Amino acid sequence: MIRFEGVTKKYGDGSGGESIAVNDLSLEAPTGRITVLVGPSGCGKTTTLRMVNRMIDPSSGVISIDGNDTAELPLAELRRGIGYVIQHAGLFPHRTVLDNVTTVPRLLGTDKKTARRRAMELIERVGLDPDLAKRYPAQLSGGQQQRVGVARALAADPPVMLMDEPFSAVDPVVREQLQNEFLRLQSELGKTILFVTHDIDEAVKLGDQVAVLRVGGTLAQLATPAQLLADPVDDFVAGFVGRDRGYRSLQFAEAPELELTNEPTVTIGTTASSVRAIGEPWVLCVGDDGEPMGWVRAAAVTSAVARDLLQRGGTVASTQGSLRELLDAALSSPSGRGVVADADGRFVGTIRASEVVPVIEARQQSVAAREDAAAAALHGEAAPA
Amino acid sequence: MTWALDHLDEIFSLAGQHAWLAGLPLLIGLVISIPLGWLATRKASLRTGLLTVTGLLYTIPSLALFILLPPLLGTKVLDPVNVIIAMSIYTIALLTRTVADGLAAVDTSTRQAAVAMGYSTFGRFRAVDLPLAIPVVAAGLRVAAVSNVSIVSVASLIGISQLGYFLTDGYARSFPTEVWVGIIACLLLALVFDLVIQLLARVLTPWTRVTA
């Protein structure tokens, strides 16, 4: 656990005045969880992060890791025990990928052979081709460099990781890949992570809890992503969390068991007459393993169903997915019927937006009821006094 | 041409002297410039002071330095050590700024990563900053090498033998061929220095030649 207690960082402005980067911050980043620090530029999020490994020393207050005051640990020992990932990866250009990854273990005195063996495992674990190990950073794409950065931070198996906008400098497609793999990795490793971003969507996606900071370095709200979207504490947080928060908050609502509609399906090569026999304007085409491939407009099939006739715009929801996935599948489907697949990706049925909405409304009522009950219980306790 | 062929032994012997008088100071100067350049990157105030002082050293006329050093050091006027020291001073004058610039040019995120990984100040300098500064330092070293080869020839005025002897002797005897041989030999020597430094830099920096 990383714990901030009344941490303040002030900078002199050179003419006797001072500016406050972080103001009386108290916060806990629980063990094995991802805590995201998010806020606009100037909110002190990076300063906060860098105070943990003492790249910046706090003006006052205490930061402790698992109960040990960081100010009392030897600097090198503290830093070698904390993984650090930054925006442009910060790889050493003069060292191969492999030698970049072995840096901290080598500093800690691990012999070269052991360090290299472990580094190769990590290189594969972060999704890199082992052949890249001998390359120099300049030979890698931005996304690959960032993966090396993560592997390097993990090399000495530190319990704590600090990540400063690690995925901000890559394109959106690669960013999403990196985010998903990061979550997969974290589910296996369970590190205590402090993660800085300016992107609220990233914060909500990755964080087990999210700390919203405001300019001047004060904590505006610390909450789970779902709480943050559902109940921003003030106008600043509401504004920062942004529009669509009603829709986005559905991603934290697990879909209940819903009754799905059976759907007649076709495959590539189904003849035009069989397609028309179904009697629907849109027909779903599935692959050999029953995986949904796309919708076909029946009127467009002249001889048989072909790949170029498939409309692939619809998203596919998973039976284990969120209400957001279900609603999105329905909204994005040209037929208005959202495609749902099981955990193995096989088509199981469809659902309409009009069937999802009542579930959402029922959920809102149950949340309201729970809050009323909680408030009533609080009054009940307060009443006798 | 005939004169040159007749005097090949002498040319090679003087070229060897010249290489020694110009080359050894390059090494000495480099070894001293690296810590000086590093100090200059530590603090802005140190940087200004160090770079001004070392820069000014280069403005001292070489002849003056060759003449002033013996009484200062207690050496004999004809002792080649005077030239070695004078040339080292010029090398330091040229290289301190280059080393400081090379070290300062290391990418911020690379340096931050090194700090965050728990390198000691010296460890980071040795393992990260210095290797990354090699291309810039090598460029400065090439300039210093050519400058040294040129300045060393002045030492023939105080009677230290090297290729500059052909220039003074040829001039005194009004024999242009000898002067030309001196000039060409100096040029070739400078070229050899330049190639050796380039080659060394190349071997030491394999990462600069990779393509994505």
Side-chain angles (χ1 to χ4, degrees), chain A residues 69-385:
Chain A
D69 184 346
T70 53
E72 280 160 19
L73 292 169
L75 210 51
E77 188 186 317
L78 171 74
R79 289 175 177 165
R80 289 169 194 178
I82 298 176
Y84 189 70
V85 187
I86 49 180
Q87 188 170 2
H88 294 283
L91 298 181
F92 300 136
H94 61 305
R95 292 195 183 154
T96 60
V97 166
L98 189 62
D99 289 339
N100 263 283
V101 177
T102 58
T103 304
V104 180
R106 296 287 290 142
L107 280 173
L108 288 168
T110 309
D111 67 278
K112 203 164 192 164
K113 214 172 137 192
T114 314
R116 290 196 157 188
R117 198 181 58 234
R118 169 140 178 81
M120 284 309 295
E121 284 169 22
L122 273 169
I123 285 168
E124 289 189 56
R125 194 153 192 184
V126 298
L128 284 171
D129 185 341
D131 289 345
L132 295 178
K134 291 282 169 216
R135 302 243 181 117
Y136 287 104
Q139 294 169 290
L140 306 185
S141 70
Q144 288 171 330
Q145 289 190 23
Q146 209 47 260
R147 286 170 204 256
V148 178
V150 172
R152 183 175 67 174
L154 287 169
D157 203 17
V160 172
M161 299 260 285
L162 305 177
M163 306 182 80
D164 193 355
E165 307 225 7
F167 309 136
S168 301
V170 292
D171 68 69
V173 176
V174 175
R175 187 182 312 146
E176 199 180 339
Q177 274 175 9
L178 289 173
Q179 287 170 342
N180 292 340
E181 284 180 33
F182 168 64
L183 285 176
R184 174 185 58 77
L185 211 58
Q186 167 66 358
S187 70
E188 295 167 10
L189 300 174
K191 301 287 182 190
T192 306
I193 296 174
L194 205 53
F195 189 109
V196 161
T197 180
H198 63 267
D199 176 357
I200 186 69
D201 289 321
E202 183 167 75
V204 162
K205 176 173 182 180
L206 300 181
D208 292 307
Q209 63 169 2
V210 178
V212 184
L213 303 177
R214 64 176 104 234
V215 177
T218 52
L219 180 63
Q221 187 168 7
L222 176 66
T224 64
Q227 283 168 342
L228 196 65
L229 291 169
D231 190 13
V233 77
D234 59 16
D235 288 347
F236 166 75
V237 179
F240 192 74
V241 169
R243 292 170 198 277
D244 306 330
R245 54 184 181 266
Y247 177 63
R248 277 171 21 211
S249 69
L250 292 176
Q251 80 186 76
F252 304 106
E254 253 177 66
E257 291 257 350
L258 287 171
E259 213 152 304
L260 301 174
T261 310
N262 261 329
E263 181 87 27
T265 57
V266 297
T267 55
I268 300 289
T270 304
T271 58
S273 56
S274 318
V275 171
R276 293 213 180 84
I278 294 170
E280 291 277 354
W282 287 95
V283 192
L284 186 70
C285 175
V286 297
D288 293 341
D289 298 320
E291 77 281 11
M293 294 176 74
W295 291 92
V296 186
R297 201 159 58 83
V301 183
T302 47
S303 57
V305 176
R307 280 180 191 276
D308 58 357
L309 293 175
L310 295 181
Q311 241 263 12
R312 297 167 194 269
T315 57
V316 177
S318 155
T319 46
Q320 281 125 15
S322 61
L323 284 174
R324 177 175 168 168
E325 272 184 43
L326 282 176
L327 188 59
D328 193 67
L331 294 176
S332 64
S333 167
S335 68
R337 308 191 291 279
V339 177
V340 184
D342 65 14
D344 298 324
R346 275 188 297 267
F347 172 69
V348 287
T350 56
I351 191 161
R352 288 180 169 279
S354 58
E355 296 167 295
V356 182
V357 172
V359 180
I360 296 169
E361 284 175 342
R363 178 175 169 274
Q364 281 168 334
Q365 272 156 19
S366 79
V367 169
R370 227 180 12 249
E371 277 178 12
D372 285 348
L378 216 65
H379 278 288
E381 273 175 23

Side-chain angles (χ1 to χ4, degrees), chain A residues 50 53 55 75-76 79-80 82 84 86 88-95 100 103-104 107 136 138-140 152, chain B residues 107-120 126-129 131-132 205-208 210-212:
Chain A
R50 290 192 186 165
N53 63 359
M55 299 196 31
L75 210 51
R79 289 175 177 165
R80 289 169 194 178
I82 298 176
Y84 189 70
I86 49 180
H88 294 283
L91 298 181
F92 300 136
H94 61 305
R95 292 195 183 154
N100 263 283
T103 304
V104 180
L107 280 173
Y136 287 104
Q139 294 169 290
L140 306 185
R152 183 175 67 174
Chain B
D107 186 56
T108 319
S109 57
T110 303
R111 183 174 303 130
Q112 269 174 18
V115 172
M117 279 194 276
Y119 271 110
S120 62
R126 190 184 56 80
V128 181
D129 292 350
L132 288 174
T205 60
W207 67 89
T208 55
V210 297
T211 45

